[in-house]
Amino acid sequence: MTRPHIEFIQAQPLPWKRGLYGGSRPKVRWKALSMDKESGESSVVIKYPAGWKRTKKEHLLVDEEIFVLEGSIRIAGIDYDEHCYAYLPAGYERPRQSSKDGAVVLTFFSGKPKAVPGKAPRGLYKRKRTLKFLDTMEMAWGGILP
């Protein structure tokens, strides 16, 4: 089954839930914008509190795509500030993750985001699919304005 098509969603009235589904990110709050209950695939907004951190090496068994709406988050030594983007495929290793002052991150998962401790098994991580960092404010944008 696929997620239902959604034309428009007003996220503000959606309730915040505690602890990301799949158990990979305790102590965060999140809102589901879209979710496939069978596969766990989803579009969510995650709110990381100030001081949030994960200090042990782990990886997800699914792809994660992020776009920072507010604040900043640090993943595997890379700082993602407001308007930064990344595509981190299944098996991407995260030795540490943190958010010093908190962050709100639009996140897409290709399945249920279960974190697995330690090194990813050989063959899971596909480096060529990775987009580690993109600052969308630094991109050249085309358009009709001179």
Side-chain angles (χ1 to χ4, degrees):
M1 173 181 239
T2 59
R3 292 182 279 166
H5 176 72
I6 297 173
E7 290 286 335
F8 177 79
I9 186 163
Q10 190 69 32
Q12 291 87 338
L14 293 175
W16 287 103
K17 299 175 185 179
R18 294 197 177 276
L20 186 62
Y21 77 105
S24 66
R25 310 235 168 94
K27 300 183 182 175
V28 302
R29 294 189 300 152
W30 64 284
K31 294 181 179 193
L33 304 179
S34 170
M35 182 174 291
D36 182 324
K37 292 186 187 213
E38 290 178 20
S39 70
E41 184 176 328
S42 66
S43 303
V44 298
V45 176
I46 302 174
K47 184 180 268 190
Y48 295 87
W52 179 86
K53 64 177 130 179
R54 302 279 286 173
T55 57
K56 295 184 179 174
K57 183 186 281 190
E58 64 186 24
H59 62 278
L60 297 181
L61 300 176
V62 299
D63 302 341
E64 179 178 17
E65 189 173 5
I66 65 167
F67 181 78
V68 179
L69 301 172
E70 295 175 24
S72 67
I73 187 165
R74 185 174 180 84
I75 303 171
I78 300 172
D79 291 315
Y80 299 92
D81 297 318
E82 193 171 309
H83 303 127
C84 289
Y85 169 88
Y87 182 86
L88 309 173
Y92 180 80
E93 292 177 6
R94 302 143 201 264
R96 290 184 179 84
Q97 302 173 85
S98 63
S99 182
K100 181 181 175 189
D101 297 318
V104 178
V105 182
L106 176 61
T107 307
F108 305 96
F109 293 108
S110 66
K112 190 174 185 178
K114 182 178 186 319
V116 178
K119 191 173 175 84
R122 182 179 222 106
L124 176 62
Y125 175 58
K126 308 293 186 209
R127 182 182 309 272
K128 289 182 180 181
R129 296 182 61 226
T130 307
L131 179 62
K132 283 188 182 179
F133 179 84
L134 182 64
D135 184 345
T136 63
M137 297 306 287
E138 297 296 320
M139 293 173 61
W141 293 89
I144 58 173
L145 298 176

